[in-house]
Structures are given as structure tokens and as C-alpha cells.
Amino acid sequence: MSEPAEFIPLFPHAEQLDVGVLYINQQVMALDLIIRDAAYSYELAIEYLSENRFNPNNFKSIRSELNLLFNWAWFVKRCSIADVDRVLLRKFVDFCNQPPLHLVTHASYPFFIEDRQHKTLAPNPKWQPFVLRDGTRYVRKTATLKAQLSLLSGFFLFLSDMEYCDKNPAAVLLRRLNVNNTHVIESPDEEKALSELQWKSVWQQVNHLGTTQPEKHQRTRLLFALLYLLYPRVSEIAARPGYTPMMSSFIKHRSGQWVFKIPRSKGGKSRMIPCPDELMVCLMDYRRYLGLSDLPEPDERVPLFVRHKAGTHGREAGILNAQLGIEAIRSIVRTVFDTTADVLENSAPHEAHELREFSVHSLRHTGITTSIAAGTPLQVVMKNAGHADLSTLSVYISTDIQQQAKSTVTRAL
């Protein structure tokens, strides 16, 4: 009977990617003699990690998943990364969901220990790839599994770009993931994003209001389109001390793509978010109603969302041509949610009740969740959302209750 496979740290710290670690280099050279393309696939993985080296949290997440995949392929299956198809990756997922006990530890330890005298790194004997956090048995949530597959999907896409493989098994598994083919637990958290019915009803209501009361709700239509399609924080599109978003926040990039610039976000960093065509149509409709040109000019000083009534307090009391504040935006969203809930009350009372409990942040959550579900790479969603690392997105990769219901086998009483 063969000995159980031991896993080792295979990928160095970001600052050591260019030179590598001696024991890892020796291990890869030895594996290259028995596993096809071991050295070349490892070289590609190092190159992919190098592309993500300047975001420490992303680097750590990607390195962890690549370390698992390469260890499993090389030491458990004795196969090349090029051989990993949908069937093999399914086995890898099952392995990660129920790992061997000798690969599970009760605490998280660093990959390496340093020999300061010789200035070399060695594998940390306490390190193991799986960490038991609740003290009973190792389990993974669906969100964790989806995050893993999303990260690996990015790597397989890179391998395809490098013409090393022509398939993306992680993307296929991610699309086909359901409660019947996965040994994981579900998160008990309540829903934070609007359902498909809720969002469609809200958008229909917004368009109805924009048509019947354009003097008030052309602005509402742009607001909801912006919150859903670009999913900014409400503080990033509202007036606040030191910042007033303007129409000129929409900028035409030299590539021809329109972007929305947020100069300062929660993490203190600025970002530019590409604008879909649907959003630009809403922007042009609103600007035409205001008597402006279709598209903003550079340095245009028109507020993004112009008040309909003059301010009643603060520095902008009595001023009409000013940007909406956070509370005003929350009030608009609350009003639309409530009027939509009124429409849904008879046909979908539970959806209506839930909609009344949602907030403006629910639109951000809905935008991120649907963007991930549509297949947008996590790195792109992270940049658009202004998150500092990929792990933050795990809260948005929630279980689809409708999919869960469809996948449940009906039984007779």
C-alpha cells in the first residue's frame, strides 16, 4: 500500500519569484523527469503569480490555490497540469472538500522557515494546506468553493492565452456547480441581493416612473442604472465633505471606452470603472432632459444628480443646482423599493416583504453578485467594486436558492 501523499509549499513569496527557492527548484527539476511539462507548467504558474505580485492579498489567495492544484496533480495523481480536464478537476474539488486528515492542521502556519545563518528557506514542518477552524471536522462553504474555482479559472484562462491548454475546466465546473454534486455546507446568512424577480420589477418600476414623471424620475433611472451596473458605494456618488461627483466624472478614455472615475474610495484609492452601453443610454437620456449635450465635456461642472429642490440646511442651504447627498439618494431608493413592493404585494407577497427590508447597499450587492454569476472574472469585479482583495468577494458568491430548489429531487409523502 502506497504512502499517503505529502504536500509541500511550492511557490515562494512575491519578492523571491525571480530567483526561486533552492529546495523547490530541485523538486521541480526532479519531477520534470517523470511528469510531462512539470518545469514548464511551473514556470507559467510563476509568471501568472508575477502578474499579481503587487496586490499582497490577491497574490496570497492565488498562490494558495495554485499550491493546492500543483501538489495534488503532481503528488496525488502524478499527472501534468495539461492533463487536468473537467473530470480530473472534479476529483480535485472532491479532494479539497474532504482532504486526508494528515493534510489538515488546527492553525495557519507560514509556508517557510528561514535559516538566517545560510540565508535559505526550508518548508515549515508545521504547515499543512488545510486548516480546521471550528475544532470538529473540516468543512467548506459553497462560497469558498466558488472562490477557489474562480481563481483557478483565471489561471486556466492565462494558460490558454499562453497556448499551453485550450480548455478551462474550472469555468465549466463553476457553471455546473450545484448542491447535488458538492460536499459543502451552506451559509445561513440572509439574502442581501435582490432576486431576479425583485430586480426586474424594480427596473420596470423605475422605467415607468421615468416615463410618467420624467421631471422627477429621469434622474432616478440614471441613479439605479449606475448603482446596479457599476455597483459603487453610495458615498462614492453622493456629495460629502471634500467631494462632489460631477457629470465630468464620466470620462472618455483614449481607447474610446467611457469610464466613470471615482477619485477617492473607502480604501483611499481612486479607480475608473468601464461604463456599459446601457448606462451611457441612461446618461444621455437624463442629460437631454436637462438640456445638456448628449455626453459630458471634460471639466464640466454640472452635478451628477441635480437636486429638484433647494437644500434646506448645511453649507448648501437654499442652493438648487447642487449634488444629492447620501440621505437623499437613500430616500429615492427607499421610495422605489416601497412602490415596487406595493405592485408585488398580491402576486409575490414574500418578495414584496423582503424588498421593503432592503437598502441602497442591496443594489451594490446585487450588481456584484449578478456580475460574478454572469462570468465576469473576480479580479475585474474586485477592481470595479473598489475592494482591496479577492477574499472580500466571497460574501457576494452566495448560494442561489432557485438553483438549489431546482436541483432538489421531489419526493412523495
Side-chain angles (χ1 to χ4, degrees):
M1 186 175 180
S2 61
E3 291 291 324
E6 295 290 344
F7 283 20
I8 61 173
L10 285 170
F11 295 97
H13 301 308
E15 61 272 15
Q16 295 157 327
L17 288 176
D18 294 333
V19 295
V21 175
L22 179 60
Y23 87 84
I24 300 176
N25 294 344
Q26 293 172 338
Q27 181 73 68
V28 173
M29 290 172 63
L31 287 166
D32 196 50
L33 299 175
I34 57 176
I35 296 177
R36 176 171 58 92
D37 290 338
Y40 182 52
S41 62
Y42 182 79
E43 181 182 339
L44 290 174
I46 291 293
E47 186 176 341
Y48 183 65
L49 281 170
S50 296
E51 292 185 357
N52 295 274
R53 70 196 304 172
F54 297 114
N55 186 317
N57 292 319
N58 282 3
F59 177 86
K60 185 177 179 181
S61 297
I62 295 170
R63 183 178 70 158
S64 177
E65 298 305 338
L66 291 186
N67 197 70
L68 273 174
L69 178 64
F70 275 74
N71 268 281
W72 179 82
W74 287 351
F75 301 127
V76 176
K77 289 299 179 181
R78 294 286 175 174
C79 72
S80 168
I81 295 298
D83 296 329
V84 178
D85 57 11
R86 178 179 60 83
V87 175
L88 268 182
L89 195 65
R90 173 79 261 177
K91 294 180 180 179
F92 168 70
V93 167
D94 290 340
F95 178 90
C96 293
N97 289 342
Q98 296 180 308
L101 292 179
H102 73 281
L103 295 181
V104 181
T105 183
H106 289 268
S108 181
Y109 294 100
F111 270 27
F112 309 106
I113 53 175
E114 182 180 2
D115 183 339
R116 295 185 177 180
Q117 180 180 356
H118 298 93
K119 295 183 179 180
T120 58
L121 294 179
N124 187 343
K126 293 183 178 181
W127 174 86
Q128 292 298 342
F130 302 98
V131 180
L132 180 64
R133 300 193 184 278
D134 65 0
T136 54
R137 64 188 182 92
Y138 182 82
V139 291
R140 293 209 298 175
K141 294 182 179 180
T142 303
T144 304
L145 173 54
K146 288 185 176 181
Q148 178 186 48
L149 290 175
S150 294
L151 290 170
L152 291 178
S153 177
F155 176 59
F156 279 107
L157 184 60
F158 170 79
L159 294 182
S160 177
D161 289 341
M162 296 297 102
E163 299 183 349
Y164 180 71
C165 64
D166 58 359
K167 56 186 179 294
N168 189 338
V172 175
L173 280 188
L174 190 58
R175 288 194 298 269
R176 297 179 61 83
L177 191 68
N178 62 61
V179 295
N180 288 333
N181 60 23
T182 310
H183 290 291
V184 292
I185 62 172
E186 303 300 341
S187 172
D189 295 341
E190 61 184 17
E191 298 290 347
K192 297 179 181 179
L194 277 68
S195 68
E196 183 178 357
L197 172 62
Q198 287 167 336
W199 168 247
K200 284 184 176 180
S201 300
V202 164
W203 185 238
Q204 186 177 24
Q205 177 70 359
V206 167
N207 281 290
H208 171 72
L209 293 171
T211 300
T212 57
Q213 303 175 54
E215 71 285 352
K216 186 176 182 180
H217 290 296
Q218 279 291 338
R219 184 185 65 183
T220 303
R221 188 165 176 264
L222 175 61
L223 173 63
F224 272 75
L226 186 69
L227 287 168
Y228 177 77
L229 293 172
L230 303 191
Y231 33 88
R233 301 176 181 90
V234 64
S235 61
E236 295 170 340
I237 61 170
R240 64 179 191 269
Y243 174 64
T244 298
M246 296 288 179
M247 285 287 187
S248 53
S249 297
F250 286 96
I251 300 171
K252 189 173 184 180
H253 189 263
R254 60 187 177 184
S255 64
Q257 171 70 49
W258 280 88
V259 297
F260 184 75
K261 183 177 181 179
I262 296 175
R264 181 163 56 91
S265 64
K266 183 179 179 181
K269 296 181 180 179
S270 64
R271 68 186 190 277
M272 293 195 294
I273 314 172
C275 298
D277 291 342
E278 295 90 336
L279 177 60
M280 298 308 296
V281 170
C282 293
L283 173 64
M284 288 188 285
D285 288 345
Y286 179 46
R287 287 178 60 84
R288 287 169 188 164
Y289 187 80
L290 294 176
L292 302 171
S293 60
D294 280 1
L295 296 168
E297 298 293 334
D299 300 322
E300 189 175 277
R301 306 308 297 167
V302 177
L304 180 59
F305 296 110
V306 181
R307 286 178 179 167
H308 295 151
K309 295 181 180 179
T312 57
H313 60 278
R315 292 174 300 170
E316 295 180 338
I319 300 176
L320 178 62
N321 188 28
Q323 165 68 21
L324 292 178
I326 292 177
E327 289 307 316
I329 290 176
R330 285 174 175 163
S331 177
I332 293 171
V333 172
R334 174 78 274 134
T335 298
V336 171
F337 281 177
D338 287 343
T339 56
T340 305
D342 291 341
V343 174
L344 288 173
E345 198 67 60
N346 292 328
S347 60
H350 295 288
E351 302 263 9
H353 174 76
E354 193 175 51
L355 190 56
R356 296 186 196 278
E357 302 299 317
F358 285 143
S359 67
V360 64
H361 184 71
S362 302
L363 289 174
R364 172 173 163 85
H365 201 107
T366 304
I368 294 175
T369 301
T370 54
S371 188
I372 293 173
T376 305
L378 284 185
Q379 289 91 339
V380 174
V381 176
M382 180 199 73
K383 290 180 181 179
N384 290 347
H387 283 307
D389 61 86
L390 290 168
S391 62
T392 310
L393 292 180
S394 63
V395 68
Y396 299 102
I397 311 176
S398 57
T399 304
D400 187 338
I401 295 297
Q402 290 177 320
Q403 182 190 48
Q404 181 178 339
K406 290 178 181 177
S407 301
T408 302
V409 178
T410 302
R411 295 167 295 152
L413 289 173

